[in-house]
Amino acid sequence: MKVSVSELQPNPFRDLAHYPFHRGKIEALKASIRATGFWDNVLARKSDDGKHYQVAYGHHRLEALKELVREKILDEGYEVDVPVRKLDDGAMIRIMAGENMEEYRVSAEVIDETVRVAREFLSKETKTPMTELTPTDISQFLGSGWNEDKVGLSLQRLGLFDRGTLKREQLKGLTQSASRTVQREVAKVERVLSDTELSRMGDEEVTEQDRKRVRAQVQKVASHVAEVLAKHIRNGGSSAESRQKSLDAQVEMIPENATSEQKQLSTIDTAVHAISARDFQRKVEMLQQYREYMSPDAKDELEAKIKELAGWCRQMLENMKE
């Protein structure tokens, strides 16, 4: 049906603040419309007020039309042929999700916003608490292109956002790969530091006030790690250096007057426990820089692994003589 551009509205589930337009695509569409006129690639439904039409997909095309009207290339009352269908809220979200996956270089920000909207909708429709919705539930609802791994990573990011451990703006503009690097390191820091701080309290009864204090301390460190890693990647740094950058950032948060025990970084101990003799050579130089932050047990384990590596090297030398 013929619909005026002024009557078209974006998908109500698409928060444009988190779905940035691709300027090059809009300019190409504007040039095409000026040259050959508007051609149908928009789907809409009638809004509840009966006066407007909400676009299910075709938001770049809609933005191109509105800019041409503002630039007075098209008349204010310019009309376009738009298919109008009866679409429920679930269909509007799934269509939006499909459109997002077709976009070039989809960012983590767009993925997170889509998963957030889907999670809220499913929670409301099924009367299920959002915390109980699984990646499988959301993946099956959104359909093709939204596998469980992608949804699971997004849910983890949303959890970090909700707790204040990670901020949306820290990931803004990063690629999916870079966002995953920051996210995984921050989640690891949050988990390991929380477990360590609570375990240090030993058999003492841990109060809710204690837990809040630990959460506040951990989130402050983890947020600083996120800021450092995001800046490192934006400045052209390698994701492979994220582990060392994370440790550097954690050290920066240790007070100058900290005791020897307070200086011990649980993430340093975790790194020691995780390595084997075969990959030891690549990591030992980095770990040596943080000797003062290791617990005595971690130092003993590191010494044992150095001896293991020395034995392996001697065996390799013997093999060379055969």
Side-chain angles (χ1 to χ4, degrees):
M1 60 182 296
K2 288 281 188 181
V3 177
S4 169
V5 173
S6 62
E7 295 175 322
L8 291 172
Q9 297 178 332
N11 190 318
F13 298 100
R14 181 173 179 134
D15 184 348
L16 296 180
H18 298 295
Y19 289 92
F21 290 116
H22 298 303
R23 174 45 50 186
K25 186 172 182 178
I26 290 177
E27 292 301 330
L29 285 167
K30 287 165 65 175
S32 174
I33 293 170
R34 284 196 296 266
T36 62
F38 177 82
W39 45 277
D40 175 19
N41 195 20
V42 172
L43 178 65
R45 73 175 184 182
K46 204 161 190 176
S47 63
D48 291 339
D49 65 12
K51 300 178 182 179
H52 296 89
Y53 298 87
Q54 296 171 338
V55 171
Y57 67 78
H59 289 83
H60 279 82
R61 195 168 296 277
L62 173 60
E63 182 62 19
L65 284 169
K66 288 187 173 183
E67 287 190 12
L68 288 172
V69 169
R70 289 196 293 270
E71 294 167 8
K72 302 190 183 305
I73 303 298
L74 299 178
D75 294 334
E76 194 167 332
Y78 186 80
E79 293 184 332
V80 293
D81 280 315
V82 175
V84 177
R85 302 284 185 266
K86 290 184 178 180
L87 301 169
D88 60 23
D89 289 347
M92 292 290 281
I93 293 172
R94 285 191 291 270
I95 291 171
M96 177 187 73
E99 181 184 24
N100 291 340
M101 284 300 97
E102 293 173 2
E103 294 294 339
Y104 175 63
R105 294 180 66 180
V106 179
S107 67
E109 183 179 26
V110 168
I111 292 173
D112 291 344
E113 187 63 15
T114 305
V115 171
R116 182 192 67 79
V117 168
R119 182 179 62 172
E120 290 180 356
F121 173 78
L122 285 174
S123 177
K124 181 179 178 181
E125 286 294 300
T126 64
K127 311 299 182 187
T128 303
M130 287 194 290
T131 54
E132 295 181 13
L133 290 170
T134 68
T136 301
D137 297 329
I138 297 172
S139 173
Q140 290 178 348
F141 170 74
L142 291 176
S144 178
W146 293 87
N147 60 60
E148 291 180 28
D149 288 342
K150 179 187 295 182
V151 173
L153 282 169
S154 179
L155 287 175
Q156 184 190 58
R157 279 195 297 271
L158 291 172
L160 291 169
F161 294 151
D162 292 342
R163 293 192 294 277
T165 308
L166 189 62
K167 298 180 177 62
R168 284 179 179 269
E169 55 266 26
Q170 289 173 324
L171 300 182
K172 196 173 184 65
L174 296 184
T175 64
Q176 287 189 59
S177 176
S179 294
R180 282 196 297 270
T181 296
V182 176
Q183 164 193 353
R184 284 170 172 162
E185 189 60 38
V186 169
K188 184 190 301 179
V189 169
E190 180 188 53
R191 182 182 66 255
V192 173
L193 291 184
S194 293
D195 291 347
T196 302
E197 288 301 316
L198 291 174
S199 67
R200 281 178 179 171
M201 297 178 184
D203 297 329
E204 298 176 12
E205 184 177 346
V206 181
T207 66
E208 183 56 32
Q209 186 175 1
D210 290 331
R211 293 184 184 278
K212 286 182 178 179
R213 177 178 55 78
V214 169
R215 280 198 297 269
Q217 291 174 344
V218 168
Q219 286 169 358
K220 184 176 181 180
V221 175
S223 184
H224 179 63
V225 169
E227 193 67 34
V228 169
L229 289 180
K231 183 178 180 180
H232 166 71
I233 292 172
R234 284 197 178 92
N235 289 339
S238 167
S239 294
E241 300 171 317
S242 61
R243 179 87 280 242
Q244 183 163 354
K245 289 294 179 182
S246 172
L247 294 173
D248 288 342
Q250 292 174 64
V251 169
E252 290 172 359
M253 299 298 288
I254 298 175
E256 292 183 5
N257 60 348
T259 65
S260 177
E261 183 179 352
Q262 290 172 330
K263 280 187 175 182
Q264 291 176 10
L265 287 176
S266 56
T267 42
I268 289 290
D269 287 8
T270 300
V272 171
H273 298 321
I275 65 172
S276 64
R278 289 187 180 273
D279 68 2
F280 185 81
Q281 287 174 293
R282 291 179 296 140
K283 297 182 179 178
V284 67
E285 184 175 354
M286 178 188 74
L287 289 170
Q288 287 290 332
Q289 298 177 44
Y290 301 98
R291 287 193 299 276
E292 66 178 301
Y293 302 106
M294 291 181 195
S295 64
D297 287 345
K299 286 182 179 179
D300 290 343
E301 186 168 351
L302 187 56
E303 182 179 347
K305 289 185 175 179
I306 290 174
K307 291 177 180 177
E308 182 184 354
L309 179 62
W312 177 80
C313 290
R314 284 195 296 270
Q315 183 61 53
M316 291 300 101
L317 287 172
E318 290 297 321
N319 290 345
M320 291 292 290
K321 295 175 182 178
E322 295 179 358

